Amino acid sequence: MEGSKISVEESERYCRQLLIFGEEGQNRLKNSHVAIAGAGGLGSPVAYYLAVAGVGSLTIIDKDVVELSNLNRQILHYDEDIGIEKVESASIKLKRINPHITVHAKSENIDPSSVDSLIGDASVIVDAMDNFETRYILNSFAVKNRKILVHGAVRSFDGQVTTVIPGKSACLACIFPDVKVSDKVPVIGITPGIIGLLQANEVIKHLLGIGEGLGNRLLLWDGLTGRLEEIKLKKRPDCPVCGNEYSMED
Amino acid sequence: MKVKVKTFARFRELFGSDLAIDLPEGTGITGLVSGICGNDPEKQDALCGKEGNILGHVIVAVNGVRLDRDDFPTFSLKEGDEVALYPPVSGG
């Protein structure tokens, strides 16, 4: 494949996963660019695990600064980071945990006019946001530009995950047409940890072209009963966002 | 006929989980949710309003497959169906 190849040192670093998908797969990860929208509860585990897996280029987008009340769940940030930009805090940790990757830190709000330049040429977008207003912006952008969108959201011990494959699967506007704005959502850090790792798993599978993705499947995690349920989904033909999209198979 | 109702997230706190409900033959989704809300204002606010119209954000699945809102008026439940009621979560 085109692009740069892993070094001898990287081969040692990734030797356990090379046993799964080989050097070709690792080179593929190295030459991939993933955008993570949100450096909070979900974004932290997603970024950590994509970084250590060797995804070569990560864009982290978040406008907030680190606050004390973030630290029960946003594991990229430490006590000494309080008051600094979350993307700066994230960038420092990620470069330390894997010096072979590039981190693009973008401390900006995601809105319809900024989303294009923020996401850039990333092929996959991870929705690690805390509100549906921004999720709908990411969804419209992903559908229009044919980028994979890996959605996750949490509340208390509950969480949900799905993947939007433009042209093939239901988009967020099909699945969640009318989610209300909510105020302070109760969260224990374990829940975004679990959901974030399911999102990271989706990203890795997609980048490598292996396994079965969560397109048209909504996973529901119930931490109190320890159950993972699945709801089968389909595109809504009248969806205002993806209803007029042609199928990728057309 | 008997149907099973599984609830998630906030609905589990409000309604309990894994409910076994006895309903008249031919009951639809609207009839089901009106039944489990009863006259409890908190349950109505969360799921179906006073008129029994399921709120727009609520995901309803029957036997593991999401049921489109447009199909609510014409859909009839059958003996043994398993209905999932899910209020999407939004935090991150």
Side-chain angles (χ1 to χ4, degrees):
Chain A
M1 68 175 287
E2 290 180 22
S4 53
K5 293 187 162 69
I6 55 169
S7 62
V8 174
E9 188 187 331
E10 286 171 291
S11 294
E12 174 66 18
R13 172 181 287 264
Y14 304 124
C15 65
R16 292 299 187 96
Q17 62 197 51
L18 290 177
L19 296 171
I20 308 171
F21 42 73
E23 230 177 88
E24 189 186 334
Q26 194 64 53
N27 288 335
R28 194 183 285 252
L29 295 184
K30 184 179 176 67
N31 291 292
S32 295
H33 179 193
V34 174
I36 303 169
L42 290 168
S44 290
V46 172
Y48 260 126
Y49 275 87
L50 294 185
V52 295
V55 174
S57 183
L58 295 176
T59 292
I60 317 281
I61 311 160
D62 199 309
K63 177 71 173 150
D64 291 343
V65 298
V66 178
E67 298 177 17
L68 180 59
S69 62
N70 300 150
L71 301 186
N72 79 318
R73 63 199 184 281
Q74 302 185 15
I75 59 168
L76 267 173
H77 314 303
Y78 307 160
D79 260 87
E80 62 261 32
D81 301 320
I82 291 169
I84 72 168
E85 289 175 347
K86 285 185 181 176
V87 293
E88 172 65 13
S89 162
S91 185
I92 292 166
K93 315 306 182 339
L94 297 172
K95 285 174 183 167
R96 282 177 59 200
I97 205 166
N98 190 346
H100 298 283
I101 64 165
T102 305
V103 179
H104 312 277
K106 300 193 175 179
S107 184
E108 290 183 51
N109 278 322
I110 297 169
D111 59 42
S113 64
S114 68
V115 63
D116 196 348
S117 64
L118 290 173
I119 302 297
D121 67 355
S123 62
V124 179
I125 305 167
V126 179
D127 163 13
M129 297 307 303
D130 60 359
N131 68 88
F132 263 86
E133 188 184 2
T134 314
R135 287 186 167 104
Y136 291 137
I137 294 168
L138 292 171
N139 180 62
S140 296
F141 177 80
V143 168
K144 187 177 169 195
N145 293 281
R146 302 266 166 166
K147 293 177 188 286
I148 301 294
L149 177 66
V150 181
H151 162 81
V154 295
R155 175 191 181 274
S156 187
F157 280 93
D158 298 286
Q160 68 205 21
V161 192
T162 191
T163 297
V164 176
I165 306 166
K168 277 193 168 177
S169 73
C171 78
L172 296 191
C174 297
I175 307 165
F176 311 110
D178 186 25
V179 176
K180 305 292 182 212
V181 174
S182 45
D183 299 329
K184 195 178 278 185
V185 173
V187 187
I188 175 139
I190 298 158
T191 311
I194 290 166
I195 297 299
L197 290 195
L198 289 171
Q199 290 180 280
N201 191 54
E202 281 296 288
V203 173
I204 294 293
K205 286 190 301 182
H206 175 74
L207 294 177
L208 294 172
I210 59 174
E212 183 187 353
L214 287 175
N216 282 332
R217 300 160 63 198
L218 177 65
L219 284 193
L220 310 180
W221 164 248
D222 177 343
L224 287 180
T225 59
R227 288 190 187 130
L228 199 56
E229 306 262 352
E230 177 175 326
I231 293 178
K232 290 188 171 56
L233 307 165
K234 60 183 179 189
K235 275 165 69 83
R236 280 175 40 211
D238 61 343
C239 173
V241 175
C242 74
N244 294 323
E245 287 286 308
Y246 291 104
S247 163
M248 277 182 170
E249 287 150 357
D250 288 345
Chain B
M1 64 177 179
K2 283 192 167 53
V3 301
K4 187 175 170 189
V5 179
K6 295 174 85 169
T7 61
F8 299 88
R10 184 158 174 263
F11 285 177
R12 186 190 52 235
E13 297 159 17
L14 265 177
F15 298 96
S17 58
D18 294 337
L19 314 171
I21 314 254
D22 216 344
L23 293 167
E25 292 292 330
T27 301
I29 294 296
T30 311
L32 169 72
V33 298
S34 296
I36 64 172
C37 285
N39 290 320
D40 184 324
E42 194 181 0
K43 291 179 177 174
Q44 290 175 339
D45 281 351
L47 178 55
C48 59
K50 282 191 172 53
E51 284 75 39
N53 298 318
I54 301 170
L55 301 182
H57 66 282
V58 176
I59 290 178
V60 178
V62 179
N63 301 326
V65 181
R66 196 232 176 110
L67 189 63
D68 201 274
R69 295 189 68 76
D70 295 342
D71 296 329
F72 287 174
T74 54
F75 185 85
S76 295
L77 291 161
K78 303 185 305 295
E79 170 76 28
D81 276 347
E82 185 176 285
V83 180
L85 299 173
Y86 182 65
V89 295
S90 63

